[in-house]
Amino acid sequence: MVILQKQVCKRRRALGWEEAKLERFDGKCKWSGRKEDRLVGCSMQGIRPPILNGPMHPRPLVALLDGRDCTVEMPVLKDVATVAFCDAQSTQEIHEKVLNEAVGALMYHTITLSRDDLDKFKSLRIIVRIGSGFDNVDIKAAAELGIAVCNVPSSSVEETADTALCLILNLYRRVTWMHQALREGTRASSVEQIREVAGGAARIRGETLGIIGLGRVGQAVALRAKAFGFNVIFYDPYLPDGVERSLGLQRMTTLQDLLIHSDCVSLHCSLNEHNHHLINDFTIKQMRQGAFLVNTARGGLVDEKALAQALKEGRIRGAALDVHETEPFSFSQGPLKDAPNLICTPHTSWYSEQASVEAREEAAKEVRRAITGRIPDSLKNCVNKEYLKTAPQWPSMDPSTVHPELNGAGAYRFSSNLVGVTAGGLMGTGAAMEGIVAGTLPMAHGVAPVSRPPHTPSPSQPSKAETDRDIPADQ
């Protein structure tokens, strides 16, 4: 093995290549090496140099837009794609090669893709949101450009539900404030002192929890809350009749009915143009005096200025927010900076080590399905499938036309100063086949390159009737 590695290194030097390293430069993803900047490919073991004669084996480019760790995604995609990372906060920071050649994009919630942003990508065919929420992607504009948008809706259901219930219990039992009082030196030895420190703590059994949006997370919260003695009611106009009977819950026919009857309101719905600031000054006045509010869904659902005023006036007894209108959230600015009886966490209700790995693996698998199958038929969680099918150019696509970058049939190649990196590097017999993935099979795909004429502006969010109800505060 040592001899083989020495032979490989000797061959690399003969070809004029040096070991590359990963770096960030001017907000763009690049290789750094001896001669020229090179696009970053994810690997821990080595580089794959070009073939001396002839083109590189066709390999589509997949980019992680707003992250820099693709160690989970690489094993899933290494035999069908070259994976790059950008670590960008906007498309202005994305390398030109990614904008021109990437056919797949993976993304978290820290970057936004509007129509103008999507127009910058010249070869993009699929975007996968690593998480469940997709309000940071204009899915209708993506469909009009022939781009499928997918999400991973199930990986963080338990984590988000557990966090929501934790915040609810915290509001009722006031654990955070008791801890803070002790840290500040408050003594609670006598009954009177205990009453003062624990003032506001309430019994849970018999209280009514109102859930807005009974999707995956909403249902998980409802089942957990029942075990603590809550009476659970919900409002969700999109669920079919009878769901409430199967779960043993009470259904409210209007949002107003739910707000009037709830001692605590927990939000578990997606964000779209119809429900922005769902909780505002008007709806807060419809809530019970002294009710609690919990939001682990999307920050834009709550008008924070109205909430801050309600907390100061005591109309809302306490609130717990994991998501905020402006993120990353800071107590030093914004309307909530001096609001009392408020718990805030930094959009982390979705996170656990297990959930993070599962979401990343599933996102990579979705990209793989796009590469090896047909868009959108082979996709598991395509959120703009209906838009794709009704997009003006979709019916005119010739299904027999093969996408050169997705099935390896065309002359997809990197320029001479760019290399794709795979986890296998140049080990074993692969050294005799540099630049070629051994055993790769032809992959048929039904999406042809799409011309992108100018379009009229479209809403940046999905319509009300086509949203996913259970968007937890994911990544």
Side-chain angles (χ1 to χ4, degrees):
M1 180 62 71
V2 174
I3 296 175
L4 178 59
Q5 290 177 340
K6 289 182 178 179
Q7 291 175 343
V8 171
C9 293
K10 183 177 181 180
R11 178 172 176 78
R12 288 178 179 172
R13 288 193 294 270
L15 292 172
W17 292 89
E18 288 187 352
E19 292 289 342
K21 63 181 180 179
L22 291 92
E23 72 169 4
R24 289 260 294 131
F25 182 73
D26 289 340
K28 297 182 179 180
C29 46
K30 296 184 178 182
W31 281 104
S32 66
R34 180 171 61 88
K35 294 181 179 180
E36 304 175 31
D37 289 327
R38 301 163 187 159
L39 182 69
V40 172
C42 297
S43 173
M44 300 301 293
Q45 299 186 29
I47 61 173
R48 184 185 295 272
I51 302 174
L52 293 178
N53 297 303
M56 294 273 296
H57 182 81
R59 292 176 64 82
L61 177 62
V62 176
L64 174 61
L65 301 184
D66 53 343
R68 61 182 301 114
D69 175 15
C70 23
T71 55
V72 174
E73 296 80 3
M74 191 62 196
V76 179
L77 295 168
K78 65 181 180 181
D79 62 327
V80 296
T82 296
V83 180
F85 71 79
C86 298
D87 199 21
Q89 299 301 306
S90 70
T91 52
Q92 294 179 343
E93 300 178 1
I94 297 178
H95 195 279
E96 183 179 358
K97 184 167 184 68
V98 172
L99 295 175
N100 290 336
E101 299 185 18
V103 298
L106 297 162
M107 59 182 292
Y108 293 99
H109 68 281
T110 56
I111 189 170
T112 298
L113 297 181
S114 64
R115 168 179 287 282
D116 291 339
D117 295 315
L118 293 168
D119 271 326
K120 297 178 183 179
F121 292 90
K122 307 306 179 185
S123 304
L124 199 58
R125 291 295 174 268
I126 180 170
I127 298 169
V128 181
R129 168 73 170 80
I130 307 176
S132 61
F134 48 89
D135 52 283
N136 54 334
V137 182
D138 188 337
I139 64 172
K140 186 174 182 180
E144 292 172 354
L145 295 172
I147 304 170
V149 180
C150 304
N151 69 339
V152 183
S154 61
S155 61
S156 298
V157 169
E158 295 164 286
E159 284 76 7
T160 307
D162 291 343
T163 301
L165 193 64
C166 176
L167 294 175
I168 292 169
L169 297 178
N170 207 332
L171 290 173
Y172 272 92
R173 301 305 305 150
R174 296 189 64 79
V175 176
T176 295
W177 292 281
M178 294 181 200
H179 169 77
Q180 184 177 350
L182 289 179
R183 295 283 293 185
E184 293 173 352
T186 301
R187 296 178 59 85
S189 56
S190 67
V191 174
E192 288 74 18
Q193 289 173 331
I194 291 175
R195 286 197 185 102
E196 182 177 352
V197 171
R203 176 177 292 175
I204 292 172
R205 183 166 300 279
E207 291 285 285
T208 299
L209 174 65
I211 295 176
I212 301 176
L214 199 73
R216 298 175 185 87
V217 176
Q219 291 181 28
V221 171
L223 295 176
R224 287 159 170 74
K226 288 178 66 177
F228 279 88
F230 278 105
N231 297 321
V232 182
I233 63 177
F234 75 93
Y235 170 69
D236 192 326
Y238 303 119
L239 286 184
D241 291 339
V243 173
E244 64 276 11
R245 294 178 181 271
S246 65
L247 296 174
L249 308 177
Q250 184 178 354
R251 185 172 196 157
M252 299 288 105
T253 57
T254 67
L255 176 62
Q256 183 179 16
D257 286 341
L258 179 132
L259 297 176
I260 291 173
H261 291 93
S262 298
D263 298 302
C264 178
V265 175
S266 188
L267 302 176
H268 301 285
C269 53
S270 62
L271 175 65
N272 56 60
E273 69 269 25
H274 301 286
N275 62 16
H276 182 258
H277 283 181
L278 180 71
I279 303 300
N280 52 51
D281 185 64
F282 177 74
T283 51
I284 287 174
K285 290 178 179 177
Q286 295 177 330
M287 296 172 65
R288 284 185 174 179
Q289 176 72 24
F292 293 121
L293 176 68
V294 175
N295 185 14
T296 55
R298 282 294 178 267
L301 294 170
V302 177
D303 181 345
E304 293 183 351
K305 185 176 181 180
L307 174 60
Q309 188 63 32
L311 286 168
K312 293 174 183 177
E313 295 175 356
R315 286 184 285 142
I316 290 183
R317 188 172 16 156
L321 309 176
D322 180 63
V323 288
H324 308 87
E325 288 195 79
T326 301
E327 295 181 355
F329 174 77
S330 172
F331 272 113
S332 63
Q333 55 189 3
L336 296 175
K337 62 182 179 181
D338 55 353
N341 297 319
L342 176 65
I343 300 173
C344 290
T345 53
H347 199 154
T348 52
S349 66
W350 63 275
Y351 183 80
S352 73
E353 188 68 27
Q354 299 92 324
S356 176
V357 171
E358 288 174 9
R360 294 170 63 184
E361 287 179 343
E362 187 54 42
K365 289 177 182 178
E366 190 78 305
V367 172
R368 186 184 180 93
R369 284 188 282 268
I371 294 174
T372 60
R374 298 175 63 88
I375 297 175
D377 298 337
S378 299
L379 302 178
K380 185 177 178 181
N381 293 299
C382 183
V383 298
N384 67 339
K385 182 180 292 187
E386 295 304 316
Y387 287 136
L388 279 172
K389 291 181 177 179
T390 58
Q393 76 273 32
W394 193 261
S396 64
M397 293 181 188
D398 182 1
S400 64
T401 304
V402 177
H403 192 293
E405 294 167 1
L406 287 182
N407 73 354
Y412 184 90
R413 69 181 74 180
F414 292 104
S415 57
S416 59
N417 67 327
L418 291 157
V419 250
V421 178
T422 64
L426 295 173
M427 302 302 293
T429 58
M433 303 178 62
E434 295 169 353
I436 300 177
V437 179
T440 300
L441 300 176
M443 295 173 282
H445 201 283
V447 178
V450 183
S451 61
R452 298 182 176 180
H455 298 284
T456 56
S458 63
S460 60
Q461 305 295 343
S463 65
K464 184 176 183 179
E466 298 170 47
T467 54
D468 192 359
R469 292 174 301 275
D470 57 332
I471 307 303
D474 76 76
Q475 339 141 9

